[in-house]
Amino acid sequence: MKRIMAAAAILCLAASCFAVSPSQQKAAREALVGDDQSAGISGEGAPLMTLSGEVVSIKRSFNQITVKDPNKLTERQFTVKPEEINSLRLGDTVEVKYKSDSSVAESITSSKPVQPSPGY
Protein backbone atom coordinates (compact mmCIF):
# COMPACT_ATOMS: atom_id res chain seq x y z
CA MET A 1 0.00 0.00 0.00
CA LYS A 2 2.89 2.32 0.82
CA ARG A 3 4.42 1.66 -2.58
CA ILE A 4 1.17 2.58 -4.36
CA MET A 5 0.88 5.83 -2.38
CA ALA A 6 4.52 6.68 -3.08
CA ALA A 7 4.08 5.99 -6.81
CA ALA A 8 0.93 8.14 -6.92
CA ALA A 9 2.74 11.00 -5.15
CA ILE A 10 5.66 10.81 -7.58
CA LEU A 11 3.29 10.81 -10.58
CA CYS A 12 1.41 13.86 -9.24
CA LEU A 13 4.68 15.72 -8.64
CA ALA A 14 5.98 14.85 -12.09
CA ALA A 15 2.70 15.91 -13.73
CA SER A 16 2.75 19.29 -12.02
CA CYS A 17 6.37 19.89 -13.05
CA PHE A 18 5.61 19.31 -16.72
CA ALA A 19 2.27 21.16 -16.77
CA VAL A 20 2.07 24.34 -18.83
CA SER A 21 0.71 27.40 -17.08
CA PRO A 22 -1.74 29.76 -18.85
CA SER A 23 0.95 32.44 -19.13
CA GLN A 24 3.25 29.94 -20.85
CA GLN A 25 0.42 28.96 -23.23
CA LYS A 26 -0.16 32.63 -24.10
CA ALA A 27 3.55 33.20 -24.73
CA ALA A 28 3.65 30.18 -27.04
CA ARG A 29 0.61 31.45 -29.03
CA GLU A 30 2.15 34.91 -29.39
CA ALA A 31 5.42 33.40 -30.56
CA LEU A 32 3.57 31.53 -33.32
CA VAL A 33 1.44 34.46 -34.47
CA GLY A 34 3.82 37.37 -33.95
CA ASP A 35 3.05 40.96 -33.10
CA ASP A 36 2.10 42.03 -36.62
CA GLN A 37 -0.56 39.30 -37.00
CA SER A 38 1.10 38.17 -40.24
CA ALA A 39 0.44 34.47 -39.78
CA GLY A 40 -2.05 32.76 -42.05
CA ILE A 41 -4.04 34.93 -44.45
CA SER A 42 -4.56 37.88 -42.14
CA GLY A 43 -2.60 41.12 -42.31
CA GLU A 44 -0.85 42.24 -45.49
CA GLY A 45 -1.31 38.97 -47.36
CA ALA A 46 -5.08 38.76 -46.95
CA PRO A 47 -6.97 38.61 -50.26
CA LEU A 48 -9.36 41.41 -51.13
CA MET A 49 -13.04 40.53 -51.04
CA THR A 50 -15.70 42.38 -53.04
CA LEU A 51 -19.24 43.21 -51.91
CA SER A 52 -21.75 44.83 -54.24
CA GLY A 53 -24.91 46.25 -52.78
CA GLU A 54 -27.03 49.21 -51.79
CA VAL A 55 -26.04 51.81 -49.19
CA VAL A 56 -28.72 51.63 -46.48
CA SER A 57 -27.06 53.71 -43.76
CA ILE A 58 -24.43 56.45 -43.59
CA LYS A 59 -22.85 57.66 -40.33
CA ARG A 60 -20.69 60.57 -41.45
CA SER A 61 -19.44 61.38 -37.94
CA PHE A 62 -17.95 57.86 -37.63
CA ASN A 63 -17.02 57.49 -41.35
CA GLN A 64 -19.15 54.34 -41.52
CA ILE A 65 -21.56 53.03 -44.10
CA THR A 66 -23.83 49.98 -44.09
CA VAL A 67 -24.18 48.04 -47.34
CA LYS A 68 -26.98 45.56 -47.98
CA ASP A 69 -26.04 42.54 -50.06
CA PRO A 70 -29.03 41.75 -52.32
CA ASN A 71 -27.99 38.11 -52.88
CA LYS A 72 -27.58 37.07 -49.25
CA LEU A 73 -29.99 39.66 -47.78
CA THR A 74 -27.39 40.58 -45.18
CA GLU A 75 -25.94 43.92 -44.15
CA ARG A 76 -22.30 44.71 -43.50
CA GLN A 77 -20.82 47.84 -41.95
CA PHE A 78 -17.60 49.38 -43.29
CA THR A 79 -15.32 52.19 -42.19
CA VAL A 80 -14.44 54.39 -45.16
CA LYS A 81 -12.18 57.35 -45.88
CA PRO A 82 -13.74 60.79 -45.28
CA GLU A 83 -13.27 61.87 -48.90
CA GLU A 84 -15.10 58.76 -50.14
CA ILE A 85 -18.03 59.05 -47.74
CA ASN A 86 -18.82 62.59 -48.92
CA SER A 87 -19.67 61.34 -52.42
CA LEU A 88 -22.09 58.64 -51.21
CA ARG A 89 -25.86 58.94 -50.83
CA LEU A 90 -28.50 56.58 -49.42
CA GLY A 91 -29.66 54.16 -52.08
CA ASP A 92 -26.45 54.28 -54.12
CA THR A 93 -25.25 50.98 -55.50
CA VAL A 94 -21.62 50.51 -54.49
CA GLU A 95 -18.86 47.97 -54.88
CA VAL A 96 -16.69 47.73 -51.76
CA LYS A 97 -13.30 46.02 -51.74
CA TYR A 98 -12.11 44.94 -48.29
CA LYS A 99 -9.91 42.38 -46.59
CA SER A 100 -11.75 39.33 -45.29
CA ASP A 101 -10.63 39.88 -41.70
CA SER A 102 -11.34 43.62 -41.61
CA SER A 103 -14.26 46.04 -41.74
CA VAL A 104 -12.20 48.83 -43.32
CA ALA A 105 -13.01 49.50 -46.97
CA GLU A 106 -9.92 49.52 -49.18
CA SER A 107 -11.81 51.11 -52.09
CA ILE A 108 -15.38 52.04 -52.98
CA THR A 109 -16.82 52.35 -56.48
CA SER A 110 -20.20 54.05 -56.66
CA SER A 111 -22.78 53.90 -59.43
CA LYS A 112 -26.14 55.57 -59.91
CA PRO A 113 -28.71 55.33 -57.13
CA VAL A 114 -31.28 52.58 -57.36
CA GLN A 115 -34.42 53.85 -59.11
CA PRO A 116 -37.62 52.53 -57.59
CA SER A 117 -40.10 51.00 -59.99
CA PRO A 118 -43.13 53.17 -60.78
CA GLY A 119 -45.46 50.45 -59.46
CA TYR A 120 -48.09 50.39 -62.21
Side-chain angles (χ1 to χ4, degrees), residues 49-113:
M49 307 290 288
T50 302
L51 174 70
S52 297
E54 178 183 351
V55 177
V56 294
S57 172
I58 299 175
K59 295 179 184 174
R60 294 188 194 280
S61 59
F62 295 113
N63 293 332
Q64 293 179 341
I65 63 169
T66 303
V67 179
K68 182 177 182 181
D69 184 4
N71 298 329
K72 297 180 183 176
L73 299 176
T74 59
E75 295 179 352
R76 177 134 185 194
Q77 194 170 38
F78 295 100
T79 303
V80 297
K81 297 174 186 170
E83 59 270 6
E84 290 178 337
I85 200 168
N86 290 332
S87 64
L88 297 175
R89 304 276 181 258
L90 287 177
D92 283 355
T93 302
V94 294
E95 185 176 278
V96 181
K97 292 189 179 186
Y98 63 98
K99 292 186 180 178
S100 61
D101 60 344
S102 175
S103 65
V104 177
E106 297 291 325
S107 68
I108 297 176
T109 307
S110 177
S111 60
K112 293 182 181 179

